[in-house]
Amino acid sequence: MGSTSFGIPEHRFGSNGEKMPVLGFGTAVFPPVGAEATKMAILQSIKLGYRHFDTAAKYGSEQPLGEAIQEALSIGLIQSRDELFITTKLWCGDAHGDLVVPALKRSLQNLKLEYLDLFLIHWPVSCKPGTYEFPIKEENFLPMDFNSVWAAMEECQRLNLTKSIGVSNFSCKKLTDILAIANIPPAVNQVEMNPMWQQKKLREFCRANGIFLTAYSPLGANGTFWGSDRVLECEVLKEIAKAKGKTAAQVSLRWIYEQGVGVIVKSFNGERMKQNLGIFDWSLDEDELKKIDELPQSRGVTGVAYTSKYGPFRTVEDIWDGEM
């Protein structure tokens, strides 16, 4: 495993040799803070050493990210766009075979880029074309045609619009469905993961199938309508943090990294941006890892994302096939 010039380790995809910094800077903010604040936060993060940026068509942050990249180039924070790793995602309303390539081209236009490093299917369902709400209304749900959508994702890579393709929020079963039809297998599965939702079954499945797992909501998404403070207020994590002279957030991020999983951090606070980078020069001992492994488990965002009774998606468990 290599690293960026700022010491962030990089994961090399086995399928094409592309390298992804394992720590990414997330740009999904709920409630939104505005384009200018988003752009300034991204510029600050580039100054601190972040090189992997995660956005999505749904977030409304593609344009400010694109503007931040252009400004970073113009003032010399980076010398080339190639220094960055940019991920965006296909929203459910565009998850139809004939809409995938146009959606990616629209994202590239927003980002002012010629190519992506990684393009993900945001959720394993579709909704009516042109609908962008979240949570998705019951009447707008549609089952995804995995064959046509994944074929279009592969076309995006063949057209060199993106270097790699992958998925987000996919269970073991839905990954199995994709792998059965894929000519180009997904490089990444980005899912909710933290010490309170450890995704053990999914981690094992992805490792066995050469899919790199990346965690969002690594600190429990506190402050969002689906999140909570259960990670940051966990007594076990706070005790470990106190003993090591770290924060509970750093312990959580370090634990994810030690599982061989990438992580998307999201803070527009300068001091916390620095703290989130400070997880690579120390480690958790065997006893600490055991204590974290034994924490009670509960999901956050995946428990509220789908409340639909439409078609086959009657319950959350129907969508996630049990444990992700």
Side-chain angles (χ1 to χ4, degrees):
M1 181 180 286
S3 65
T4 70
S5 58
F6 287 86
I8 299 174
E10 294 177 310
H11 172 79
R12 186 184 293 273
F13 297 137
S15 59
N16 58 14
E18 297 294 333
K19 293 183 292 185
M20 181 181 84
V22 299
L23 183 71
F25 188 83
T27 63
V29 182
F30 301 99
V33 298
E36 185 63 22
T38 300
K39 185 184 84 168
M40 296 309 294
I42 293 167
L43 282 169
Q44 185 176 6
S45 72
I46 293 174
K47 290 176 185 176
L48 291 172
Y50 289 90
R51 291 295 181 266
H52 173 185
F53 294 91
D54 182 87
T55 183
K58 184 70 185 75
Y59 298 164
S61 58
E62 288 179 335
Q63 287 183 323
L65 174 55
E67 291 169 4
I69 293 169
Q70 294 301 310
E71 188 163 334
L73 286 165
S74 69
I75 63 177
L77 290 178
I78 54 174
Q79 302 306 309
S80 166
R81 176 264 181 269
D82 295 344
E83 296 176 32
L84 304 179
F85 188 100
I86 307 298
T87 300
T88 195
K89 308 178 190 76
L90 177 79
W91 184 242
C92 306
D94 292 318
H96 305 273
D98 60 332
L99 299 182
V100 175
V101 173
L104 175 49
K105 288 181 176 178
R106 196 161 56 245
S107 287
L108 289 173
Q109 188 174 22
N110 289 338
L111 289 159
K112 300 180 175 65
L113 298 177
E114 294 181 357
Y115 69 90
L116 288 177
D117 295 280
L118 180 63
F119 189 40
L120 305 178
I121 298 175
H122 205 149
W123 292 92
V125 295
S126 299
C127 61
K128 289 181 181 178
T131 54
Y132 288 92
E133 76 260 350
F134 178 85
I136 299 167
K137 292 178 183 176
E138 180 176 338
E139 63 269 21
N140 288 333
F141 269 98
L142 294 169
M144 181 180 288
D145 179 351
F146 287 113
N147 283 332
S148 66
V149 172
W150 191 252
M153 294 289 288
E154 293 180 338
E155 182 66 9
C156 290
Q157 185 166 330
R158 279 192 288 268
L159 291 170
N160 296 317
L161 298 174
T162 183
K163 290 186 175 182
S164 300
I165 53 176
V167 296
S168 181
N169 299 303
F170 271 56
S171 65
C172 296
K173 183 178 184 304
K174 288 182 170 56
L175 284 172
T176 300
D177 293 342
I178 289 288
L179 290 169
I181 61 170
N183 293 307
I184 303 172
V188 166
N189 185 20
Q190 185 184 120
V191 299
E192 177 190 11
M193 178 179 158
N194 55 59
M196 310 300 286
W197 185 239
Q198 296 182 11
Q199 300 278 26
K200 293 177 184 179
K201 178 183 173 185
L202 186 61
R203 273 192 276 144
E204 292 170 5
F205 182 92
C206 287
R207 190 178 297 117
N209 286 278
I211 300 168
F212 188 62
L213 200 65
T214 301
Y216 70 77
S217 298
L219 306 180
N222 191 27
T224 67
F225 70 85
W226 65 81
S228 74
D229 62 359
R230 70 188 193 282
V231 174
L232 296 178
E233 292 302 317
C234 172
E235 289 301 324
V236 170
L237 297 179
K238 289 200 289 186
E239 288 172 10
I240 294 171
K242 185 177 180 181
K244 303 192 90 68
K246 304 295 179 183
T247 67
Q250 288 174 316
V251 171
S252 178
L253 298 176
R254 177 69 198 188
W255 175 82
I256 293 170
Y257 171 64
E258 291 194 18
Q259 309 315 303
V261 175
V263 59
I264 304 299
V265 294
K266 183 179 62 185
S267 177
F268 286 7
N269 175 284
E271 188 56 38
R272 287 196 291 272
M273 286 185 200
K274 293 177 187 176
Q275 291 175 358
N276 290 341
L277 288 167
I279 63 168
F280 298 116
D281 58 353
W282 55 280
S283 61
L284 296 163
D285 65 34
E286 188 174 335
D287 182 58
E288 291 162 344
L289 289 169
K290 185 174 184 295
K291 288 179 180 177
I292 295 173
D293 189 62
E294 294 171 349
L295 288 171
Q297 299 294 291
S298 62
R299 62 160 66 99
V301 66
T302 55
V304 302
Y306 296 113
T307 56
S308 173
K309 296 179 182 177
Y310 180 90
F313 309 115
R314 291 185 298 276
T315 67
V316 169
E317 284 67 33
D318 287 333
I319 291 163
W320 297 115
D321 316 307
E323 184 187 7
M324 282 181 66

